Amino acid sequence: MSTTTDTARLHQRVAAADWTHLAEELDTHGCALTPRLLTPAQCARIAGLYEREERFRSTIDMARHRFGSGQYRYFTHDLPEPVAELRAALYPRLLTIARDWAERLGRPAPWPDSLEKWLAMCHEAGQDRSAQILLRYGPGDWNALHRDVFGDMLFPLQVVIGLDAYGTDYTGGEFLLVEQRPRAQSRGTTAVLQQGHGLIFTTRDRPVATKRGWSAGVMRHGVSTVRSGRRHALGLVFHDAA
């Protein structure tokens, strides 16, 4: 169980990140690695929840749906405290970037200052199911390139956090991003998720500078094949699902 001190420390870790640099990384690469946000003990507790079926609203077998191989589970709205607090701490930081992107692309920016108000707007629009994900991969598992849209009410950024130690608990399983650049060949990026660290990336697309101004660069994400061990990851999405 999280304590008040744990919650304060979590908010301090988020606030201590260099958000100017992270925004620049997102502009340049379409993704940005954060400092450590969760301790190894917090990571272990969250990963251990995978066995507690009552904490989840559904389980997805990726092979069955041709999404790849492996499993993930959607949490219920009764989120564990570290997950709920981390999502709340990240939202206002990401909101600044989201509004800047919307302005560059000439799009509306419907997101209020409060995460609670934004989620209420999602629910009023019929998107009322939790979209927070706990993923588990074993040897040979992988995740096909995709986007996590879930409906018309969309927040343009999301975060995935590694819960196991890369190179010790598992090998392979690098995070993949592929960007369809306007009038150019697609560009691929890989990232290693260190335990407790997050990767910020776009839900759908991002602004890309062109000779004619700003264009939307479509991006998809996935996970390369896990070669050994077991890989858990926490997916934080800032809109709910239809």
Side-chain angles (χ1 to χ4, degrees):
M1 178 181 294
S2 294
T3 65
T4 302
T5 301
D6 290 335
T7 298
R9 287 174 178 167
L10 191 153
H11 280 264
Q12 288 168 3
R13 291 187 208 114
V14 171
D18 186 342
W19 285 96
T20 299
H21 173 70
L22 291 173
E24 291 171 350
E25 286 286 292
L26 283 162
D27 277 345
T28 303
H29 303 292
C31 62
L33 286 163
T34 76
R36 184 185 295 278
L37 301 176
L38 295 174
T39 67
Q42 287 173 320
C43 290
R45 285 197 295 270
I46 294 170
L49 293 175
Y50 201 89
E51 303 298 339
R52 296 179 57 184
E53 293 188 14
E54 72 276 9
R55 301 307 302 259
F56 304 95
R57 66 172 177 83
S58 65
T59 300
I60 305 298
D61 185 309
M62 286 189 268
R64 178 183 176 187
H65 296 279
R66 297 186 178 182
F67 295 162
S69 176
Q71 270 192 356
Y72 59 88
R73 288 182 160 171
Y74 287 105
F75 280 103
T76 67
H77 283 300
D78 183 20
L79 296 173
E81 284 190 20
V83 177
E85 291 296 338
L86 185 56
R87 191 181 183 214
L90 285 167
Y91 176 79
R93 306 287 176 172
L94 299 177
L95 180 60
T96 301
I97 301 170
R99 287 172 172 170
D100 175 58
W101 282 14
E103 182 178 359
R104 283 191 250 173
L105 291 172
R107 292 175 174 172
W111 317 290
D113 292 342
S114 163
L115 175 61
E116 290 76 13
K117 289 181 179 178
W118 167 239
L119 294 178
M121 290 168 62
C122 290
H123 294 182
E124 289 171 6
Q127 291 180 213
D128 58 1
R129 296 190 298 167
S130 172
Q132 312 316 300
I133 305 173
L134 186 57
L135 304 104
R136 172 183 282 182
Y137 302 84
D141 289 342
W142 57 283
N143 194 349
L145 295 170
H146 66 285
R147 297 186 291 171
D148 298 318
V149 177
F150 297 137
D152 293 333
M153 305 295 283
L154 176 75
F155 192 79
L157 294 160
Q158 59 193 88
V159 181
V160 61
I161 298 172
L163 300 178
D164 300 300
Y166 178 82
T168 302
D169 294 326
Y170 71 97
T171 60
E174 294 82 8
F175 193 87
L176 305 174
L177 282 165
V178 174
E179 180 179 20
Q180 296 174 234
R181 297 184 295 164
R183 294 174 294 280
Q185 296 294 325
S186 296
R187 179 177 70 171
T189 300
T190 64
V192 170
L193 289 182
Q194 300 292 352
Q195 188 180 46
H197 294 248
L199 180 73
I200 307 167
F201 62 100
T202 179
T203 302
R204 178 178 62 184
D205 53 29
R206 71 185 187 94
V208 178
T210 69
K211 293 180 180 179
R212 300 180 181 179
W214 294 100
S215 294
V218 175
M219 298 190 71
R220 295 180 296 159
H221 62 276
V223 174
S224 70
T225 303
V226 173
R227 296 183 178 274
S228 66
R230 180 169 282 179
R231 176 191 186 276
H232 294 87
L234 171 67
L236 298 177
V237 179
F238 297 88
H239 50 267
D240 280 344

